[in-house]
Amino acid sequence: MDTGDLTATPEPPYYAVVFTSRLGADDEGYDAAADRMFELVQTTPGFLGADAARGADRVGITVAYFRDEPSIRAWRDEPEHAATRARGRAHWYDAFEVRVAKVERAYGFRRA
Amino acid sequence: MDTGDLTATPEPPYYAVVFTSRLGADDEGYDAAADRMFELVQTTPGFLGADAARGADRVGITVAYFRDEPSIRAWRDEPEHAATRARGRAHWYDAFEVRVAKVERAYGFRRA
């Protein structure tokens, strides 16, 4: 997630899970867990890619793309992911929002 | 967008415009233009809120929420916004992606 590249996705329709969060003061273990979750999500059938950014104000956005609803549910129910979500609620996040959205159209630009 | 707060949105359905970008070396004027666009979008009927983050790798994500497709089109067609998009392609961005998605469900968490 730190390569500076934007993820490439297939033609819509597909799904986006938009995760916005604000980290609190107790972020011990957060970075390692985030790296591990990014590694783990790649093994989810139907995972298409993800982008992530977090600024100096500790607000972060991760957008993960999935082929369909069953692949979103498979990621939600993945046991290590569920355990990490519980750590997030207990320790790391002051606030978060999860939005599941169906991508209807997309376009992009790459400098030549 | 630098308050560290997450935007609050009404119950779905509504729309999310996910804008991912990578800034290039020529970012003169970018910060002022981004602030101005955030100010301007608030005047768009049907605009519901936005979150934004950009990390040290220069990858940024802005997610803007709109009530419906007409409000997305109104923002797209706003003249000052269109002119700023042209500056972005010409100068600021190495790459970007725009994805328009219909939010189907959402949930959140706030630390007590």
Side-chain angles (χ1 to χ4, degrees):
Chain A
M1 300 302 294
D2 55 359
T3 62
D5 283 328
L6 305 181
T7 200
T9 40
E11 286 298 304
Y14 53 86
Y15 281 83
V17 179
V18 180
F19 179 72
T20 58
S21 66
R22 192 177 64 242
L23 278 180
D26 172 16
D27 63 1
E28 187 182 341
Y30 170 79
D31 285 343
D35 288 349
R36 171 61 185 152
M37 288 303 100
F38 183 65
E39 181 182 86
L40 188 62
V41 72
Q42 316 272 344
T43 68
T44 303
F47 173 74
L48 301 174
D51 293 302
R54 186 173 301 279
D57 62 359
R58 303 177 76 78
V59 168
I61 305 175
T62 298
V63 190
Y65 303 102
F66 293 91
R67 188 175 55 217
D68 50 24
E69 287 274 12
S71 50
I72 293 174
R73 285 196 294 274
W75 173 235
R76 181 197 66 193
D77 295 341
E78 200 289 323
E80 186 179 341
H81 178 214
T84 301
R85 284 203 307 279
R87 289 179 69 192
R89 281 176 187 262
H91 298 289
W92 299 320
Y93 296 119
D94 279 350
F96 66 74
E97 297 282 339
V98 177
R99 293 176 175 93
V100 177
K102 187 174 187 177
V103 178
E104 298 182 347
R105 59 184 189 276
Y107 61 93
F109 164 82
R110 293 283 181 285
R111 193 166 300 286
Chain B
M1 301 304 294
D2 54 358
T3 63
D5 283 330
L6 304 180
T7 201
T9 41
E11 286 297 304
Y14 53 87
Y15 281 83
V17 179
V18 180
F19 179 72
T20 57
S21 66
R22 193 177 63 242
L23 279 180
D26 172 16
D27 62 0
E28 188 181 343
Y30 170 78
D31 285 342
D35 288 348
R36 171 62 184 150
M37 288 303 101
F38 183 65
E39 182 181 85
L40 187 62
V41 73
Q42 318 270 343
T43 68
T44 303
F47 173 73
L48 301 175
D51 293 301
R54 187 173 300 279
D57 63 359
R58 303 176 76 77
V59 168
I61 304 175
T62 297
V63 190
Y65 303 101
F66 294 90
R67 189 175 53 214
D68 51 23
E69 287 274 11
S71 51
I72 294 173
R73 285 195 294 274
W75 174 236
R76 181 197 65 193
D77 295 340
E78 201 288 324
E80 185 178 341
H81 179 214
T84 301
R85 285 204 305 278
R87 289 179 69 193
R89 281 177 188 262
H91 298 289
W92 300 321
Y93 295 119
D94 279 349
F96 66 74
E97 296 283 339
V98 178
R99 295 176 175 93
V100 177
K102 186 173 188 177
V103 178
E104 298 183 345
R105 61 185 187 275
Y107 62 93
F109 164 83
R110 293 284 181 284
R111 192 165 301 284

